[in-house]
Amino acid sequence: MNAAVPLEAPPAGDSVPLRHFATDIVLNWEKAVDEFRKWERQEILEKQPSTKELERHRKDGLFIIRMSRWLLSLVSDPESPARECTREVSGRLRQLEETFEMIHDPISDAEAEAIVKEAFPDEQAVRGTA
Amino acid sequence: MNKQLEELLKAWDAYVQAPKGVEADRLLSLYESTLEEHCERSGASPERLHTGLRRQYWRWLQAQKRFPTVPPKA
C-alpha cells in the first residue's frame, strides 16, 4: 500500500484520537484510489473500453475526484491533525483529474494526430485503435 | 518514432503511473518542462500540444499492449 500517513507522534497540541480518526480516513481513501487507478489502468487505458465501461469510469471517477477534493480541504485546514498529508492528497488528486480529462476529452483521434504532426512534422502518427 | 515525441510520451506515462502524490507532482513538473522546451523550439502551443499528446499517449499505450516489442534474438 502507498501509505502517505507518517506514523510518528502527532505534533504538539494535536489530539491523538482525532489524529487517528483523520489518518484512518486518509488511509481508506488511499486504498480506494489505488483500487480505482488499478482498474482504470487495466480496463480503460490498456484496453479499448466499451461505452458502458467509459460511462462507469466517468461516474466512479467523478465521485472519487469529489471525495479527494473534500479530503484535501479537510487535511489542508491549518487546524487539521493530518495536515502533513496535504501534498500527498493534492498530488494524487491532480493525477486523478489529469487522467480523467485525458480519457473524457472529446477530441478525436484525427484532431490529436493533426496537433502532434504540426509539432513533430517528421513524425508518423501513432495509429489509433478507436 | 521521433525521439523527442517518445521522450514526452514516456514522461507522461511516468506521471500517470506514479504511485504516490508527491512523486507524481515531481514527474508532472518534469513532463511540463520537457513539453515547454519542445514548444519553445517548435513554436507550438503547450496547451494544444498537451491535449494532442494525451490522446496520442492513450493510443500509444493500447498499441504497446497489443503489439509489445519482442526483444531481438541473441
Side-chain angles (χ1 to χ4, degrees):
Chain A
M1 190 176 61
N2 303 305
V5 185
L7 298 174
E8 70 264 19
D14 280 357
S15 149
V16 173
L18 274 183
R19 180 178 163 77
H20 282 161
F21 177 69
T23 52
D24 277 354
I25 294 174
V26 176
L27 286 171
N28 282 320
W29 166 81
E30 282 190 315
K31 278 186 206 165
V33 172
D34 284 345
E35 286 290 314
F36 174 76
R37 294 191 65 232
K38 189 176 165 194
W39 170 78
E40 178 184 69
R41 179 88 189 175
Q42 289 175 351
E43 303 300 326
I44 305 290
L45 291 176
E46 291 182 353
K47 289 183 184 169
Q48 198 179 350
S50 64
T51 310
K52 198 176 164 187
E53 284 167 326
L54 278 174
E55 180 52 24
R56 181 186 157 191
H57 180 271
R58 193 193 61 77
K59 198 175 152 198
D60 291 0
L62 283 176
F63 180 76
I64 210 157
I65 285 170
R66 284 191 197 112
M67 185 167 69
S68 305
R69 286 177 184 155
W70 167 79
L71 185 63
L72 180 60
S73 72
L74 187 81
V75 297
S76 62
D77 186 289
E79 303 277 311
S80 163
R83 54 194 171 277
E84 74 277 10
C85 302
T86 301
R87 279 189 66 207
E88 184 59 29
V89 176
S90 154
R92 297 192 95 187
L93 168 61
R94 175 92 191 262
Q95 200 181 27
L96 285 165
E97 289 171 334
E98 289 281 355
T99 313
F100 185 92
E101 281 173 29
M102 172 173 74
I103 292 167
H104 296 283
D105 187 335
I107 189 173
S108 69
D109 286 354
E111 280 175 88
E113 207 172 296
I115 291 169
V116 172
K117 267 192 172 176
E118 263 174 42
F120 298 94
D122 58 335
E123 178 53 29
Q124 282 197 328
V126 178
R127 290 289 161 211
T129 53
Chain B
M1 180 183 284
N2 179 298
K3 211 175 167 182
Q4 283 177 328
L5 175 58
E6 193 175 0
E7 195 186 342
L8 276 164
L9 292 173
K10 285 182 174 171
W12 181 249
D13 185 50
Y15 168 65
V16 168
Q17 288 205 70
K20 292 192 174 190
V22 176
E23 176 68 355
D25 275 346
R26 190 185 67 79
L27 290 167
L28 182 61
S29 297
L30 271 178
Y31 165 77
E32 285 174 342
S33 60
T34 309
L35 180 71
E36 275 164 28
E37 271 172 35
H38 178 76
C39 287
E40 271 174 29
R41 281 197 301 269
S42 66
S45 148
E47 292 79 18
R48 187 171 150 80
L49 181 55
H50 174 59
T51 304
L53 276 172
R54 278 195 315 208
R55 176 53 54 93
Q56 289 283 86
Y57 162 76
W58 191 6
R59 299 307 173 222
W60 173 76
L61 185 64
Q62 289 172 335
Q64 297 275 310
K65 285 289 154 185
R66 287 169 69 216
F67 311 108
T69 309
V70 180
K73 285 180 185 173

